[in-house]
Amino acid sequence: MKTISLYVDKGTILNKIAPESKIWYVIAAISIPALMGIRWAGIGMIAVSAVLLLYGKVLRRTLPFLGVSGFVLLTVLIIQGMFWWGNETPLFALGPAVFYVEGLRYALGILINIINILMSFCVLILTTKPSDMMENFVRRGFSPRFGYVFISVFQIIPQMTDTMSTITDAQRSRGMETEGSLAVRIKAFIPLIVPVIMSSLINTKERALALEVRGFNSRKKKTFLNEEVKTAADRYIQIALPVLILAAAIWRITQWLA
Amino acid sequence: MAGIIIEHLKYKYPGTDRLALNDISLSIEEGEFVGIIGRNESGKSSLCQAVAGLIPSFYKGAYGGKVLIGDLEVKKVPVDELCETVGIVFQNPFNQVTGAKATVYEEIAFGLENMGIPKDEMISRIDGAMELLDISRYRDRYPFDLSGGQMQRMAIAGVIAMQPRVIILDEPTSQLDPQGRDEVFQAVQNLCSQGITIILVEHNMEKIAQYSNRVILLDDGRLIDFDSPQRIFSRGDLDQYGVEAPVYTQICKRLGHKMEDTGCYPVTLEEAKTVLRQRKGG
Amino acid sequence: MAIIELKDLHFSYTAEEEVINGMNFIIDDRSTAIIGQNGAGKTTFAKLLKGLLKPTKGEILLNGRSTKDMTVAMLAKKVGMVFQNPNDQIFKYQVLDEVMFGPLQIGMDKAAARRNAEEALESVALSGLETTNPYDLGLSVRKLVAVASILAMDTEIILFDEPTIAQDYAGKERLKEIVRKLRSQGKTVITITHDMNFVADVFERTIVFASGKKIADDDTKSVFLKKDILERAYLEQPDVMKISTELGWQESFLTIDEFVGAIKR
């Protein structure tokens, strides 16, 4: 199965609960630490996400995301550690580079926030079938056309990369160089890109016709083959999470008032 | 009644001077299997699109005359309603996959969901369509992983599930290998035996002769003839219209062997065998 | 005349499954059709011959020299390949420029490229369309533009991938003529196709592929007489041949002319 979707069905509870519950989880994971304003809350959420990902058997698939963002986060740590405006107390020095407590503490806050957001989104994306997620939105009143575009991209782009490799083959077969210096690559650009555009325009037109004759633009109220699954767990989650968010907000207000 | 009546149909694509369809009148009985032949650009696809209502709803341009399916006038019905009466299948199976569904089963449901068909009915229609096209065993496969013949049958199933009374197929097998082609023809014949009217464009004249009840011959947007395959392929002026008769017909023409009952040349392998056996044996 | 020799040719994309599974044969000056089901390895063979893929084991020798030692650009001067879908290559605004692109890429000067392009367009009967935008033409005509764009490169070997798809009677006749003409010019012509009538009409030799192996290789008529082989490869006889087979005649015929000639005799 060739798709750029990140979802894999591991048959765990996380795959079975409704997309909406997981969307609530993302909202809660981001808003609770933000509302509470305590660093430990963020770290706690990260730990919860990590447990969920482990439980959902997708923790390993999360690592590439952390790896890519880890590089960015490292630069944040270095830059803020050295240059943050409030830096006062030196912590350690690497040669001429001096790192300050305040800057590192500030960077750590950013780090926790980003990792938290990233991991909670992983809980949603890695365990939810894209079409289920979209159907969930369409049921809540989103435009089916928007939904279609969102979903089809996951499947049609991998198909387009096949077309692109055929086009490259066809042009190389006529003696065109595609590898080598920048000049060679620039020269190869037009012969490669024009067929890509033309063939995707042609294919898109054909696909549009095929969709049209299957009632894509129908104004009737859409029905769904797959029932919306809402287990007892979903009902519980979809009450508990908003309550927790609310509790965090109230807690924060009482802190202010105190 | 779902016969098709075409009256003085004329059509010109936007920005062109030539009539793609030039005063075509004909009528097709319900349940007929009709082949369309003619050279490239003779109007075969345009005629298909006009019967399916894509001309003039999707392709604009100058339009005259009428296409009636039963008592529906095609031009006056929006395509999203028309698809419950007439379905169309295109050449490239690949471009007919919606790309929004993870399994064959869900893919076939796509049109039904759009039409707001209740779930129970949806399931029975999908099961029926898969059985008719002999693809039930691919039910849980990823649509893009199917072979060409399987994918094309899935596309036909997606159209059939809408329960149209007419199905138009515009060169449905030209991209397929011989096995895929035979699978599709088998499936289409199956549809015809269920009483669905079939209109099929195909370059393979042997297949046209084998399956069609009647054949439409087009040239330069005009209807040249509409008759039984035997009479169409017995015409002496076919090369003038850029088509050739099935090889069986060509051989018998050259040998001057006609069928005794119809006075026409044979068009299928079976007919040619009968004639040649008689001649050679006698 | 070019000689193509396959020596224990293997190819696989993944470790589990071989797409080309040990092929040995020589392609000589006879026009050769390669037939077989989708997935039999036909297109992979074409890509190997063009150097677009490298053999995982074994080699292809072109006039005695291994294609492993040649780049795709070097091979472009020797082997021309017409791809199945013309939309995968056409990018110029005018037919003539499109047809001249290949010849210019392989180092022909402009005058020679133009001369070849005009000649090629004539042989596909498209003279007069030089300044037309290829995308204003129908798919079947556009495909003939792609054919011309390869013919104009004047390579020793020409390889067609499913040339008859979407062609009507006139287009098919035109392609048959092109094959005959190339053959008479001493070029090596190879086609990959599902169109058995096309094979019967113009190809002298036929090779059958199944699951990455060569399962038959002989003059066309002999191959089509091997019913068990055809069944194994999910192929069928050309239509003319079906008649004599079905009637159980001793003699069988590939083409209409042959059939009619024999009956009249």
Side-chain angles (χ1 to χ4, degrees), chain B residues 15-48:
Chain B
T16 59
D17 299 326
R18 196 176 68 92
L19 280 169
L21 297 171
N22 190 353
D23 199 19
I24 291 182
S25 300
L26 56 88
S27 67
I28 295 171
E29 307 283 319
E30 179 163 19
E32 257 194 295
F33 194 128
V34 172
I36 305 184
I37 61 171
R39 70 174 107 228
N40 283 326
E41 319 280 306
S42 60
K44 305 188 295 298
S45 289
S46 303
L47 183 58
C48 289

Side-chain angles (χ1 to χ4, degrees), chain C residues 8 26 30 32 39 46-47 53 56 81 102 109 111 131 136 145 156 176 194 201-202 206 215 232-233 252 261:
Chain C
D8 190 30
I26 293 174
R30 284 175 292 171
T32 303
K47 286 185 176 178
L53 297 172
T56 40
M81 174 169 169
D109 65 56
T131 57
D136 287 340
V145 173
E156 289 174 84
K176 287 177 198 167
H194 292 312
D201 280 345
V202 279
T206 296
I215 60 166
R232 234 174 94 196
S252 58

Side-chain angles (χ1 to χ4, degrees), chain B residues 43-64:
Chain B
K44 305 188 295 298
S45 289
S46 303
L47 183 58
C48 289
Q49 313 248 12
V51 177
L54 292 168
I55 287 176
S57 78
F58 193 90
Y59 294 100
K60 305 299 175 192
Y63 184 97

Side-chain angles (χ1 to χ4, degrees), chain B:
Chain B
M1 267 303 290
I4 301 169
I5 298 173
I6 301 176
E7 286 173 358
H8 300 292
L9 179 65
K10 287 184 185 180
Y11 176 70
K12 215 169 6 180
Y13 285 95
T16 59
D17 299 326
R18 196 176 68 92
L19 280 169
L21 297 171
N22 190 353
D23 199 19
I24 291 182
S25 300
L26 56 88
S27 67
I28 295 171
E29 307 283 319
E30 179 163 19
E32 257 194 295
F33 194 128
V34 172
I36 305 184
I37 61 171
R39 70 174 107 228
N40 283 326
E41 319 280 306
S42 60
K44 305 188 295 298
S45 289
S46 303
L47 183 58
C48 289
Q49 313 248 12
V51 177
L54 292 168
I55 287 176
S57 78
F58 193 90
Y59 294 100
K60 305 299 175 192
Y63 184 97
K66 265 194 215 178
V67 178
L68 293 157
I69 301 179
D71 43 22
L72 279 185
E73 186 177 349
V74 163
K75 181 178 67 175
K76 293 184 178 154
V77 186
V79 170
D80 57 81
E81 284 174 33
L82 200 61
C83 58
E84 289 173 295
T85 302
V86 53
I88 182 164
V89 176
F90 304 96
Q91 203 178 92
N92 189 340
F94 193 81
N95 287 338
Q96 295 173 79
V97 182
T98 61
K101 300 291 181 179
T103 64
V104 169
Y105 189 66
E106 292 175 358
E107 175 72 27
I108 297 169
F110 180 83
L112 303 176
E113 293 181 320
N114 292 333
M115 304 309 297
I117 306 295
K119 182 173 171 167
D120 291 343
E121 197 189 332
M122 210 173 338
I123 291 172
S124 78
R125 285 199 195 184
I126 302 171
D127 288 337
M130 286 198 304
E131 194 156 317
L132 211 50
L133 276 303
D134 192 24
I135 52 172
S136 303
R137 60 189 173 284
Y138 312 124
R139 173 194 164 109
D140 296 319
R141 292 268 292 277
Y142 182 57
F144 283 111
D145 283 349
L146 300 180
S147 75
Q150 295 161 355
M151 212 188 264
Q152 189 63 292
R153 282 183 291 153
M154 174 181 73
I156 299 173
V159 168
I160 277 295
M162 322 274 282
Q163 300 189 332
R165 289 171 294 169
V166 178
I167 290 241
I168 299 165
L169 303 110
D170 191 353
E171 294 190 44
T173 66
S174 70
Q175 312 267 337
L176 309 180
D177 64 8
Q179 194 191 6
R181 187 193 62 202
D182 290 348
E183 289 169 0
V184 169
F185 269 105
Q186 196 54 53
V188 172
Q189 200 181 24
N190 219 350
L191 298 179
C192 190
S193 67
Q194 301 288 312
I196 297 171
T197 309
I198 307 284
I199 298 179
L200 173 96
V201 177
E202 172 67 50
H203 279 304
N204 184 322
M205 296 302 148
E206 288 76 21
K207 295 282 174 206
I208 286 277
Q210 186 183 346
Y211 290 99
S212 313
N213 302 119
R214 283 196 289 166
V215 178
I216 294 174
L217 170 61
L218 294 179
D219 193 41
D220 196 24
R222 273 189 302 261
L223 179 71
I224 303 298
D225 203 350
F226 181 27
D227 212 330
S228 69
Q230 285 79 7
R231 277 205 281 274
I232 291 277
F233 291 125
S234 291
R235 289 179 67 115
D237 57 353
L238 285 177
D239 47 341
Q240 201 179 315
Y241 305 115
V243 293
E244 68 177 342
V247 293
Y248 314 119
T249 315
Q250 291 184 53
I251 285 174
C252 294
K253 263 187 193 173
R254 296 257 297 264
L255 295 171
H257 293 350
K258 286 191 176 175
M259 305 269 291
E260 274 164 13
D261 49 346
T262 58
C264 293
Y265 293 107
V267 296
T268 61
L269 178 57
E270 286 309 311
E271 289 178 357
K273 267 165 60 184
T274 315
V275 167
L276 286 164
R277 196 178 280 131
Q278 284 165 359
R279 305 288 156 139
K280 184 122 183 178

